[in-house]
């Protein structure tokens, strides 16, 4: 299809424009650039390997470029002035035989998604998301886009890295430019409608609950919702909406902050991406935010802890926001401080349903498998039964290993391949770890099984230039084992899971042994509001296994420490 694609790079100036466009008329396929719709990328290398980018589409590249270089520079649009005056700015113009309005909008949208995920791109500009429904050439989108990106990569490897590397990044996976599923679109529109009604009627402290299991697309939905609420002006309101995005997870904070900075939604001095405790301590109930979106709301604290002295994050957030959108999965509650006592969570869900403020996502989007594999995983977690491992209709791999060393070698091998590079070892929290001090006589806390060991839980120092990357993307994390607290909310191409001694197999069923766990947040008693003590270890250890078994996009490789569980899994693999 390469003869149908034309990409030309020009210096970005009004003086160069007319001459260049006249030269294009000598091309045999000039009409793809001058008569068809085109997509364009204006870029400026501000300093070495640091780009500012604008992505657009147009039916007339000459007129649109003159507008940007003329009118837009005079309308106090800072980035157009910077492009205009820079000596290093240029523009890529992309034409294709199949381009029509809908396809160019989809290509523009996907370029925004890719470029906002590139580490060297520090700022990216555009005025909208452009997701299109089905149209005549929509079935060719993936093929045409890959061809475009690969050709751009040949022209500039820093601005356009290898496609697989972009798609593996955590920023890409949380991007607000993903093409939403019909279920996600319906949920997003419903949430926005409910927000408008609540704000218009001044019905404050409204709670909208969005429920979905691991891999159901919650993060992408919240990212897109946040972007649209921040980016667009709504006619119903005189002033821009005051919107915050909160998440109680270090990895996610970093990812969302990078997205918001690149898209110009916030700045480092006044971030609207925060942890719940930080937001609560810095915002008074007397000055409510319009909207607070809480991703991974199952990580909210339900009792005081360290710097947080309140009775519960959600209670305090509702006092400080007119509308709270909380996305959660109660099967991912991992800590006693996150447990909802006295069926409080069920009461909140019931109340939200009664107010028509409860939305449930049912599709599984992370695991690239047939329903038979999803059912097998859910049966292990929910029913604690090990059924025969099915032959997956989509090629999803589940493999059982006899030793941790064999599992490690397999994951290392996967990590060296371009199509499965983000593959890592993870484990249940069954080995000692202290984040504030090192163990005696050795450099790291280790996962130790017999004479095999690996460093444990984000201890290896990040390589230069990788400090701000999530754990899964750091190259040297192939040399350590991640825990639930490292990997929750993220995914891996292939997950190498060590099921530690806290998960056993007895009398035909999986059981959870809190005495073999080192996860103090899960196994210690919780003091309830009536001063009684209660233990939630079995529920929390089950949730820990749930988080770990749902990380692999294309495959799940397992070694079980418990002999009986390992044998049960090996027998299950025989069919």
């Amino acid at each position: 299809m390469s003869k149908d694609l034309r990409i030309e790079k020009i210096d970005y100036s009004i003086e160069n424009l007319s001459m260049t466009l006249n030269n294009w008329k000598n091309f045999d396929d000039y009409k793809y650039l001058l008569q068809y719709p085109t997509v364009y990328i204006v870029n400026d290398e501000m300093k070495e390997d640091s780009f500012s980018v604008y992505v657009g589409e147009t039916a007339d590249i000459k007129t649109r470029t003159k507008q940007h270089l003329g009118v837009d520079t005079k309308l106090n649009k800072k980035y157009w002035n910077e492009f205009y005056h820079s000596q290093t700015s240029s523009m890529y113009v992309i034409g294709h035989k199949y381009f029509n309005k809908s396809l160019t909008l989809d290509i523009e949208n996907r370029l925004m998604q890719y470029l906002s995920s590139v580490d060297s791109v520090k700022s990216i500009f555009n005025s909208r998301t452009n997701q299109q429904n089905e149209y005549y050439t929509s079935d060719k989108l993936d093929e045409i886009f890959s061809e475009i990106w690969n050709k751009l990569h040949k022209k500039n490897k820093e601005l356009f890295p290898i496609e697989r590397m972009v798609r593996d990044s955590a920023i890409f996976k949380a991007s607000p430019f993903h093409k939403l599923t019909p279920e996600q679109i319906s949920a997003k529109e419903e949430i926005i409608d409910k927000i408008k009604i609540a704000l218009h009627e001044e019905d404050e402290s409204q709670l909208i609950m969005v429920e979905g299991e691991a891999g159901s697309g919650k993060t992408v939905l919240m990212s897109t919702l946040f972007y649209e609420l921040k980016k667009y002006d709504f006619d119903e309101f005189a002033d821009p909406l005051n919107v915050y995005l909160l998440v109680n997870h270090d990895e996610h904070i970093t990812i969302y902050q990078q997205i918001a900075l690149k898209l110009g939604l916030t700045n480092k001095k006044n971030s609207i991406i925060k942890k719940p405790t930080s937001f609560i301590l810095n915002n008074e109930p007397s000055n409510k935010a319009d909207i607070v979106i809480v991703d991974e709301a199952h990580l909210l604290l339900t009792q005081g802890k360290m710097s947080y002295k309140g009775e519960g994050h959600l209670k305090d957030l509702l006092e400080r926001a007119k509308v709270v959108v909380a996305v959660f999965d109660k099967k991912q509650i991992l800590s006693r401080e996150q447990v909802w006592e006295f069926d409080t969570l069920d009461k909140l869900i019931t109340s939200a349903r009664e107010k028509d403020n409860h939305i449930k996502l049912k599709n599984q989007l992370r695991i690239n498998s047939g329903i038979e594999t999803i059912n097998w995983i859910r049966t292990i977690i929910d029913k604690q039964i090990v059924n025969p491992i099915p032959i997956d209709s989509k090629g999803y791999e589940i493999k059982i290993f006899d030793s941790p060393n064999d599992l490690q070698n397999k994951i290392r091998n996967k990590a060296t391949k371009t199509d499965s590079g983000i593959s890592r070892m993870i484990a249940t929290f069954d080995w000692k770890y202290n984040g504030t001090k090192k163990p005696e006589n050795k450099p790291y806390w280790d996962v130790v099984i017999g004479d095999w060991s690996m460093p444990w839980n984000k201890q290896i120092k990040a390589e230069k230039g990788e400090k701000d990357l999530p754990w899964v993307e750091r190259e040297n994390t192939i040399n350590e084992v991640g825990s639930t607290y490292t990997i929750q909310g993220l995914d891996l191409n292939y997950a190498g899971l060590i099921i530690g001694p806290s998960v056993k197999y007895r009398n035909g069923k999986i059981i959870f042994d809190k005495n073999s766990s080192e996860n103090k947040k899960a196994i210690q008693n919780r003091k309830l509001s009536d001063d009684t003590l209660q233990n939630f270890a079995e529920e929390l250890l089950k949730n820990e296994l749930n988080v770990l078994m749902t990380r692999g996009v294309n495959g799940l490789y397992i070694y079980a420490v418990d002999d009986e569980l390992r044998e049960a899994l090996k027998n299950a693999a025989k069919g």
Side-chain angles (χ1 to χ4, degrees), residues 13-139:
S13 68
I14 197 73
E15 296 80 14
N16 189 53
L17 180 64
S18 296
M19 180 182 68
T20 301
L21 268 58
N22 283 330
N23 289 339
W24 288 356
K25 293 178 181 178
N26 297 320
F27 299 158
D28 292 337
D29 52 3
Y30 77 93
K31 60 183 179 181
Y32 299 155
L33 296 172
L34 298 176
Q35 295 178 0
Y36 279 41
T38 55
V39 180
Y40 58 96
I41 304 165
V42 181
N43 66 97
D44 182 24
E45 191 168 6
M46 301 174 289
K47 54 185 179 179
E48 187 177 359
D49 297 341
S50 180
F51 294 88
S52 176
V53 174
Y54 181 94
V55 181
E57 61 80 36
T58 180
D60 185 342
I61 189 63
K62 183 175 182 179
T63 301
R64 179 62 58 84
T65 305
K66 283 184 174 181
Q67 176 188 338
H68 289 326
L69 288 168
V71 176
D72 289 339
T73 60
K74 298 173 183 176
L75 293 178
N76 204 26
K77 292 185 178 180
K78 181 182 177 184
Y79 56 89
W80 284 123
N81 273 296
E82 290 174 348
F83 286 135
Y84 179 77
H85 290 291
S86 173
Q87 299 299 308
T88 57
S89 59
S90 62
M91 178 169 67
Y92 295 92
V93 182
I94 306 165
H96 198 284
K97 176 181 178 179
Y98 288 112
F99 273 4
N100 53 43
K101 182 67 173 179
S102 293
L103 184 54
T104 56
L105 286 170
D106 266 348
I107 295 291
E108 176 190 13
N109 193 67
R110 191 166 294 186
L111 282 168
M112 287 288 292
Q113 181 185 16
Y114 273 57
L115 287 166
S116 61
S117 308
V118 174
D119 189 50
S120 63
V121 174
K122 304 307 179 186
S123 300
I124 184 164
F125 305 101
N126 186 282
S127 58
R128 60 188 184 274
T129 54
N130 296 314
Q131 178 174 296
Q132 304 298 297
N133 293 319
E134 296 300 309
Y135 48 90
Y136 176 58
T137 52
S138 60
D139 61 324

